[in-house]
Amino acid sequence: MKLKSLTLHQVSIPLVTPFETSFMRETEKDCYLVEARFDTPAGEITGWGESVTMISPLYSPEYVASGIDVTRRWLAPILFGVDDLTAETVSWHLRHVVGHPMAKSALEMAVLEAQLKLHGQSFKEYLGGVVDTVPSGVSVGIQDSVEETVKVIGGYLDEGYARIKLKIKPGKDIAEVAAVRRAFGDDFGFQVDANAAYTLVDSAHLRRLDEYGLLLIEQPLGEADIRQHSELAKLMETPMCLDESIVSAEAAADAISLGAAAVINIKPGRVGGYLEAKKIHDLAAAHGVAVWHGGMVETGLARAANASMASLPGFTLPGDISGSSRFFHEDITEEIVMHDGVVDVPTGVGFGVSIDPGKLEKFRTDSLEILPQR
Ligand code: OSB
Ligand code: MG
C-alpha cells in the first residue's frame, strides 16, 4: 500500500456526564481521527485511526495539538516515503522519532484498517481472537460525595456492567470504597484507579484498601515509579496493576521482572499501537501476569477495535470497554452496545464499524489535510 494523503479531523463530543479523575474533569471527549488514503492493488482504500491523546498533557506527555503537530511535521513525511507500507512495519519506520506513542498508534491504526479492508478481514480474525463477546466493565469518575458515589455505581450495576472501577484520589478513597461494599456486598468485581495520585509515603493509608476484596489497585504511584510500585506491592495484599507506567513492551518487561505488576492494563494508544499491545499481551501471558483492556473514553471506532483486541485469550479480567452510551448521547460510528454484561466482538471487515459522515461533520472542530511534499 502507498499512502497518498492524510486528513486529521479534530472532534469534540459532549459527554453524558462530566468524567472526573485525580488529574482532570472532562465534559467533552476531544481527540482527532486519522483518515488515510492509500493506493493499493485493489484501487484506492481509506483507513481510519483514532488518537487517544487528551486535550491537556495530564495523563501522559502527549496532547491533541502535540499529536497533530508531530504527525504533520515528522511522522507523515516518513510514511509518505514508504513504497510498500504495511501495518506491521509502521512502528519500525517511525522508530527514530522518540516518544509520541499515541500519535504513532493513530497512524498505525489507520494503516491497519486499510490493510484489513484490502484483505477482507476482521480485526478479530487478524489477531486470532477466541471469543465472540467480551465482559464489559465501567470506569466511574470521582463524585462529589460518598452518597453520590454509591448512587452512580448502583445505576451501573443495575444496567448489568460486569465490573466496577472507581477513580480515587487522596481524600476520596477509603470512605467511598467502604460505602460501596456496604451498599452492594462483596459479590461483584470492584477495583480502583488512582491515576498516579499517591506516593510511597501513603502506603499505610493505601493498605487500608486491602480489607475490601478489590480485584486490583491501578497505578497508585507516578508513571516513572516502577520500582516504587514493586515496593508498594510487597506492602499490600490488593494486586498491583499498572497503567501509566507501561509505555512499551520493554516497560512491561521491567515491571514484571521487578514484581511491580501482578496485572497490566493494556491500552494500545499508550504503548504505540495495537501491535505493541499484542506483544505486551503475549509477554504477560508467558509470565502468568493477568491483563485487561483499558479505555481512554474512545469513540466507537477505537472502542470497536478495543473489543476485538480483548478477544485474545490473555485478557482474563473485564476491560474498560463499556457501551457507547456510558459516555455519549451520540457516537460517531454505530453505537457499541453493552448487553448482559458484555460487548459483542465486531465481525465486520476492518474494525467492523464506520464513521458516520453526518456525525463527523457535527462534532468536527477542525481538520488538516497533509499531502506528500514534492
Ligand atoms: O486511567 O484508565 C484510565 C480515561 C482517560 C484517561 C485515563 C483513564 C481513563 C479511564 C476511562 O479510566 C476508561 C474508559 O474509557 O472506559
Ligand atoms: Mg488508569
Side-chain angles (χ1 to χ4, degrees):
M1 301 196 303
K2 175 86 183 161
L3 182 62
K4 303 308 284 182
S5 76
L6 285 172
T7 309
L8 308 186
H9 303 272
Q10 229 178 298
V11 296
S12 183
I13 311 177
L15 297 183
V16 290
T17 51
F19 183 58
E20 187 170 332
T21 57
S22 62
F23 62 90
M24 77 186 285
R25 181 180 170 90
E26 283 174 276
T27 51
E28 282 94 28
K29 162 68 180 179
D30 288 292
C31 71
Y32 65 91
L33 303 173
V34 176
E35 180 182 14
R37 277 174 295 275
F38 300 87
D39 273 345
T40 80
E44 189 181 293
I45 294 183
T46 299
W48 286 87
E50 174 171 342
S51 166
V52 299
T53 43
M54 302 181 81
I55 199 72
S56 37
L58 302 176
Y59 165 83
S60 79
E62 295 180 86
Y63 53 101
V64 173
S66 81
I68 292 173
D69 191 68
V70 75
T71 300
R72 179 174 68 88
R73 286 178 201 270
W74 301 103
L75 305 179
I78 296 171
L79 297 187
F80 282 129
V82 179
D83 285 329
D84 184 15
L85 188 59
T86 61
E88 296 78 9
T89 54
V90 170
S91 66
W92 185 81
H93 290 300
L94 301 179
R95 72 197 180 286
H96 295 306
V97 175
V98 178
H100 300 281
M102 293 178 178
K104 292 174 179 174
S105 174
L107 290 170
E108 184 196 84
M109 193 178 166
V111 177
L112 178 59
E113 209 229 1
Q115 183 175 311
L116 292 168
K117 285 175 175 166
L118 175 64
H119 296 156
Q121 204 176 28
S122 73
F123 189 30
K124 177 188 160 182
E125 283 165 349
Y126 170 85
L127 287 167
V130 294
V131 291
D132 298 329
T133 62
V134 292
S136 177
V138 61
S139 176
V140 181
I142 294 171
Q143 307 295 317
D144 289 339
S145 66
V146 171
E147 297 70 39
E148 196 61 23
T149 307
V150 170
K151 189 176 140 207
V152 169
I153 288 180
Y156 290 125
L157 288 172
D158 288 345
E159 277 187 60
Y161 275 102
R163 179 224 73 196
I164 302 292
K165 154 171 147 182
L166 178 63
K167 294 288 187 179
I168 59 168
K169 66 177 182 182
K172 291 275 193 182
D173 45 21
I174 314 288
E176 282 73 9
V177 167
V180 169
R181 277 296 191 214
R182 213 178 306 122
F184 307 112
D186 292 335
D187 239 16
F188 69 98
F190 188 25
Q191 63 194 53
V192 292
D193 183 3
N195 287 109
Y198 298 86
T199 69
L200 202 46
V201 173
D202 300 310
S203 57
H205 177 74
L206 291 170
R207 272 167 67 162
R208 295 173 57 198
L209 289 169
D210 282 345
E211 65 180 276
Y212 300 103
L214 300 174
L215 288 168
L216 56 91
I217 178 169
E218 180 178 348
Q219 195 75 36
L221 312 178
E223 171 185 325
D225 300 348
I226 292 186
R227 185 194 54 79
Q228 293 184 45
H229 276 100
S230 78
E231 297 299 328
L232 182 59
K234 284 180 220 146
L235 300 171
M236 292 186 74
E237 278 169 32
T238 307
M240 194 57 59
C241 171
L242 295 182
D243 173 357
E244 283 89 333
S245 294
I246 308 298
V247 293
S248 61
E250 289 86 347
D254 287 353
I256 292 170
S257 53
L258 285 168
V263 184
I264 291 175
N265 167 335
I266 292 187
K267 288 181 184 172
R270 195 195 59 219
V271 302
Y274 284 89
L275 301 184
E276 184 82 357
K278 166 90 163 55
K279 282 188 203 164
I280 296 177
H281 160 277
D282 296 347
L283 175 81
H287 282 85
V289 164
V291 303
W292 54 282
H293 207 297
M296 290 291 290
V297 191
E298 286 87 348
T299 78
L301 182 70
R303 194 169 291 274
N306 291 353
S308 301
M309 186 83 203
S311 72
L312 285 169
F315 286 90
T316 50
L317 292 167
D320 281 345
I321 305 177
S322 51
S324 300
S325 67
R326 151 72 185 93
F327 290 114
F328 312 118
H329 294 293
E330 277 183 286
D331 208 331
I332 207 158
T333 62
E334 297 86 333
E335 186 183 347
I336 307 296
V337 178
M338 186 282 287
H339 63 91
D340 309 304
V342 301
V343 163
D344 294 335
V345 177
T347 54
V349 168
F351 299 130
V353 293
S354 39
I355 301 287
D356 178 327
K359 302 278 183 59
L360 179 61
E361 187 71 25
K362 177 171 175 179
F363 296 123
R364 183 169 44 207
T365 54
D366 209 352
S367 71
L368 172 72
E369 188 176 48
I370 311 173
L371 296 168
Q373 298 294 306
R374 290 186 294 126

